[in-house]
Amino acid sequence: MGSLSNPAASSADIVYLTLRRRFAEGELAPAERLTEAALAQELGVSRTPVREALGRLQADGLVVPMARGVAVATLSSDEVEQLYNLRAVLEGLAAAQTARLQAAGQIAPAHLRDIEKAAEEVERAVAEGDAKQSARANLAFHRAFGQAPGNAFLTDALHRVWDRIAISTVSNLSDGEWARAALTQHQEICRAMIAGDEDAARRAAEEHILSAMRVYSEALGRG
């Protein structure tokens, strides 16, 4: 990736945010080992900011300590279910709040169009058959409506959940049948928010996430 530079942030902040992005985009697999030396060399920084960033990731629950480094945290089937249930509630709330603001005329048309464009990007990625790109586009869509209400506490909670289960999105979107179903569900969420239908938006978002949980749980059972 090369040397990192940003005068507005410390090296540790940049390493931390870089690794959080990798978690969010499903680039790091469960139990994958991360070492200070390798990350420092890759990112062009000393080991001190890497050590600090890994400590923050451990506090976030994203990594666990191991001999000479850390490993990406592995979730049990129960933990996966708990996280998905929490995500369903959080995204249902985000969709409902977005619809409520839309009904009150407090969402800019351009903002809604950005959400629709994000959904269209998922469609394009799925059509190309690239699961990782589909997962990145999918996250962008969920972020678009998750952040729409402007509720910083809700957004923070969503980011923590998204990062913990991002790898499941890559797994799910490798399943062509599920990917096509997800696109239809995205459209339902968009329609409900644009119509300003708070209840329908909440139901559509919650059912989408619970459907994803069932697909991933089935994949884990086969593994």
Side-chain angles (χ1 to χ4, degrees), residues 7-186:
S10 71
S11 295
D13 288 335
I14 296 171
V15 173
Y16 173 73
L17 292 173
T18 298
L19 294 175
R20 281 293 296 258
R21 177 188 57 75
R22 292 182 183 181
F23 275 100
E25 296 183 354
E27 295 180 8
L28 299 172
E32 181 175 342
R33 186 182 175 199
L34 304 175
T35 66
E36 291 178 11
L39 287 169
Q41 181 176 10
E42 177 192 357
L43 300 176
V45 298
S46 71
R47 293 177 64 163
T48 299
V50 172
R51 186 179 305 118
E52 182 179 332
L54 292 178
R56 291 168 66 182
L57 291 172
Q58 185 176 337
D60 292 338
L62 291 170
V63 300
V64 294
M66 62 175 296
R68 296 190 299 277
V70 300
V72 177
T74 300
L75 297 172
S76 68
S77 58
D78 285 343
E79 287 171 329
V80 168
E81 183 174 350
Q82 290 165 5
L83 280 167
Y84 265 102
N85 282 324
L86 175 58
R87 182 183 176 186
V89 172
L90 293 173
E91 292 205 20
L93 177 60
Q97 289 186 347
T98 300
R100 184 188 311 151
L101 292 171
Q102 164 67 357
Q106 296 176 353
I107 292 282
H111 198 155
L112 288 175
R113 182 56 189 152
D114 286 343
I115 297 174
E116 289 184 297
K117 285 181 178 177
E120 291 166 2
E121 284 299 320
V122 185
E123 291 188 34
R124 276 191 281 272
V126 167
E128 292 171 2
D130 185 333
K132 286 195 173 183
Q133 179 56 34
S134 297
R136 286 191 286 269
N138 181 74
L139 176 60
F141 167 68
H142 285 270
R143 279 178 171 168
F145 79 80
Q147 297 171 348
N151 183 330
F153 299 104
L154 175 58
T155 298
D156 180 67
L158 278 168
H159 276 294
R160 291 178 182 275
V161 173
W162 286 329
D163 290 354
R164 294 294 298 275
I165 57 177
I167 194 67
S168 69
T169 303
V170 178
S171 172
N172 280 1
L173 290 172
S174 298
D175 180 331
E177 183 177 351
W178 160 250
R180 289 187 292 275
L183 298 180
T184 299
Q185 292 171 9
H186 286 178

